[in-house]
Amino acid sequence: MKKVITYGSFDLFHEGHYNLLKRAKALGDYLIVGVTTEQYDESRGKLNIVDSLDKRIEHVRQTGFADEVIVEDHPGQKAEDVQKYGIDIFTVGSDWIGAFDHMKQYCQVVYLERTKNISSTVIRTQQYPIIRIGVIGTGRIAIRFVPEAKYVSGVIVNSVCNPCRTSAEQFRERFELDLATDDLDVFFDAVDAVYIASPHETHYGYARRALGAGKHVLCEKPLAFCKKEAEELYALALGKKLVLLEAVKTAYCPGFVQLIGIAKSGIIGKICDVEACFTRLADKKRRECTDVKYGGGFTEFGSHTLLPILKLMGTDYQELRFDSILDRNGIDLYTKASFVYENGMALSKSGVGVKSEGQLLISGTQGYILAESPWWLTQYFEVRYEDPSRKERYFSNFLGDGLRYEISDFAAMIQGHQNRAFKFTAEESIAAAGVMEAFLLKRARE
Ligand code: CTP
């Protein structure tokens, strides 16, 4: 019996997939089809898969060509499968010519002709019109955003807005965008969604205007410096059926999502304490160290450290206390925010003028989770127990700058095929704004 194997995502099952499976089956007597998991696709840079694994497998089965369907979930699996199942022919479409020549050491490799003019990507863009994103602000983070957006299918960054026209124009040229303007109304006319990457204190104002103009909003952290403003923004978004996401990058990256899932699984017992630290010594001339009103360690990095605290301990803390080391101008070089909860506690450490170990430590009644620096770009963490020889290690991919994950979630939510807001909920984002507000009030008093 001649055994054939092929692999694919088979998202939004189409004629090209059907033809490929038919031709693959015709190559032998028994066809095995490997369908990729969403996580595996994500790790190889294929974001925005629409159909669930279940649905994609079902579609493959319904063709009647597959004698067996397996799941592909890790790199290197193809070589294992070919040997394990005693495969004679490995086949994929002609878009992969050359890419699988290394499989020739195990079996025959056949590249089948690809059906022209159809692909999941094409269907995705027909089904969900391309989301035109405009960027407000042209600073460090905006510069990183545009190249990352290219990895997300279904979105295009086409415009930039900045009160300084020259900066907007330079940004437009650099990234070959269609529009650079200092006029928000002109800008809103050209886009479906906005990414707000302007100075912190302008986030709320821009988000309000954008939502008011009917645009979806992905807003850099902190979304707002007071709870009421954050509440108002989410209410506005809800009322207008728009997506509003606070762009705390870490929240959307696969490793961090996994860490939260594992922490909440009960593996370390009841979570009693979360300690998160993020410090980066900043240039004394930079905004972080010169802006007396909104600069400093906590406003800069607090959004990162608050994320695991609010996600794991909740938003309902009973006491909150800040201790800071301030510079001559009253800017905090280092801040500890201590939370007391009904059944636990948490500590955030952030700084622009004091260096510390940037780790995330989650302590429970049966063990603890340790994610070392840079935990906010989560690629690796360990679950440890009383017995030091017992240690579980978790690895995850973190592609490029990591911004692509939040962009992909933002797009999926706009398209409405998945709700990914659980990664950083409105409630958590509002609570973060409340903590910022309490901090700024306290600092202003000192
Ligand atoms: N395929 C094909 N003809 C097409 C599209 C896909 O023969 N028009 C083949 C691919 O070469 C591959 C298999 O179908 O062997 C599964 O491909 P997959 O990547 O799931 O589909 P695409 O439509 O190419 O997906 P995307 O647009 O997301 O890359």
Side-chain angles (χ1 to χ4, degrees):
M1 184 164 66
K2 207 183 241 185
K3 279 184 147 183
V4 183
I5 199 161
T6 190
Y7 296 85
S9 314
F10 303 102
D11 192 24
L12 301 168
F13 200 87
H14 55 69
E15 189 196 338
H17 294 143
Y18 183 89
N19 294 340
L20 186 284
L21 294 178
K22 189 176 177 182
R23 289 175 193 147
K25 171 76 180 183
L27 289 174
D29 310 301
Y30 191 85
L31 175 66
I32 301 181
V33 182
V35 182
T36 50
T37 64
E38 203 173 323
Q39 287 73 17
Y40 179 53
D41 272 326
E42 211 168 69
S43 74
R44 60 196 187 114
K46 204 171 191 179
L47 306 170
N48 281 3
I49 293 286
V50 174
D51 290 339
S52 66
L53 179 61
D54 213 29
K55 199 165 175 183
R56 292 183 284 123
I57 289 176
E58 193 46 39
H59 287 155
V60 168
R61 276 199 209 287
Q62 276 170 6
T63 62
F65 298 126
D67 297 286
E68 196 172 336
V69 178
I70 58 170
V71 170
E72 184 189 22
D73 66 2
H74 62 273
Q77 185 183 326
K78 291 184 178 78
E80 291 168 33
D81 290 343
V82 164
Q83 296 172 89
K84 191 162 81 183
Y85 295 106
I87 298 297
D88 302 289
I89 301 176
F90 172 96
T91 184
V92 281
S94 51
D95 45 327
W96 293 102
I97 281 181
F100 291 104
D101 285 357
H102 59 275
M103 298 297 291
K104 286 181 185 159
Q105 58 192 305
Y106 309 110
C107 63
Q108 193 187 339
V109 174
V110 176
Y111 297 103
L112 288 169
E113 195 196 332
R114 189 180 157 90
T115 310
K116 291 196 178 45
N117 304 325
I118 186 144
S119 72
S120 305
T121 309
V122 166
I123 299 178
R124 244 177 256 134
T125 51
Q126 283 165 351
Q127 205 161 326
Y128 305 105
I130 295 269
I131 303 162
R132 299 164 305 160
I133 302 183
V135 179
I136 303 182
T138 53
R140 283 171 277 172
I141 187 83
I143 288 169
R144 303 214 303 258
F145 182 85
V146 188
E148 282 282 312
K150 294 206 164 69
Y151 291 96
V152 181
S153 66
V155 308
I156 182 163
V157 179
N158 71 338
S159 307
V160 60
C161 184
N162 194 319
C164 168
R165 248 211 110 108
T166 335
S167 305
E169 197 45 53
Q170 281 167 356
F171 194 89
R172 187 193 70 76
E173 260 174 47
R174 175 168 177 177
F175 295 110
E176 299 176 339
L177 310 183
D178 298 335
L179 174 78
T181 178
D182 54 3
D183 183 330
L184 272 181
D185 294 323
V186 172
F187 174 73
F188 289 144
D189 274 348
V191 303
D192 308 301
V194 302
Y195 170 59
I196 301 173
S198 50
H200 292 173
E201 66 279 14
T202 63
H203 290 173
Y204 160 73
Y206 280 132
R208 200 160 71 106
R209 293 242 354 226
L211 292 168
K215 307 299 162 188
H216 303 285
V217 172
L218 176 64
C219 183
E220 259 314 317
K221 61 205 168 304
L223 173 66
F225 282 120
C226 94
K227 193 174 173 186
K228 246 195 161 142
E229 290 178 353
E231 280 169 345
E232 181 199 334
L233 293 176
Y234 282 103
L236 190 58
L238 193 68
K240 293 188 145 233
K241 294 197 169 62
L242 294 167
V243 175
L244 168 62
L245 271 194
E246 183 174 353
V248 182
K249 165 169 102 175
T250 308
Y252 309 94
C253 80
F256 187 77
V257 176
Q258 185 186 29
L259 183 150
I260 294 295
I262 284 174
K264 286 187 162 181
S265 72
I267 198 171
I268 58 165
K270 207 176 96 34
I271 298 171
C272 298
D273 189 17
V274 176
E275 286 178 40
C277 176
F278 191 137
T279 63
R280 186 179 293 142
L281 295 179
D283 184 336
K284 295 273 174 288
K285 290 186 225 74
R286 284 215 115 110
R287 171 184 51 76
E288 297 92 293
C289 298
T290 55
D291 183 342
V292 185
K293 206 158 172 211
Y294 297 107
F298 193 67
T299 51
E300 195 58 28
F301 300 127
S303 300
H304 288 100
T305 50
L306 289 178
L307 174 70
I309 293 175
L310 296 171
K311 290 207 82 69
L312 295 170
M313 300 304 293
T315 55
D316 204 12
Y317 51 86
Q318 295 174 323
E319 285 168 42
L320 170 58
R321 173 199 158 108
F322 298 99
D323 294 286
S324 297
I325 295 170
L326 304 178
D327 73 0
R328 255 185 277 121
N329 303 316
I331 293 176
D332 62 307
L333 297 170
Y334 185 62
T335 290
K336 275 187 177 178
S338 320
F339 296 76
V340 177
Y341 286 85
E342 197 183 339
N343 289 310
M345 59 197 80
L347 180 69
S348 142
K349 297 199 287 180
S350 53
V352 288
V354 171
K355 190 68 200 159
S356 186
E357 180 64 34
Q359 66 176 20
L360 169 61
L361 180 59
I362 303 160
S363 310
T365 50
Q366 285 167 36
Y368 64 96
I369 295 177
L370 178 65
E372 287 179 347
S373 172
W375 62 265
W376 50 91
L377 315 176
T378 329
Q379 280 185 295
Y380 175 67
F381 62 91
E382 288 181 3
V383 182
R384 298 183 184 176
Y385 303 91
E386 183 65 45
D387 172 2
S389 65
R390 195 177 152 213
K391 208 186 262 187
E392 286 137 26
R393 299 178 169 86
Y394 291 87
F395 298 87
S396 208
N397 232 323
F398 182 87
L399 296 172
D401 224 341
L403 289 169
R404 64 192 67 179
Y405 301 113
E406 68 188 27
I407 304 171
S408 152
D409 289 339
F410 184 52
M413 284 174 64
I414 293 173
Q415 290 161 346
H417 57 74
Q418 261 177 15
N419 183 2
R420 305 194 190 170
F422 71 91
K423 296 182 185 178
F424 192 45
T425 65
E427 191 196 346
E428 288 157 357
S429 168
I430 290 167
V435 176
M436 283 288 163
E437 180 177 5
F439 171 73
L440 289 178
L441 275 173
K442 190 214 172 223
R443 196 175 67 172
R445 273 190 251 115
E446 281 174 0

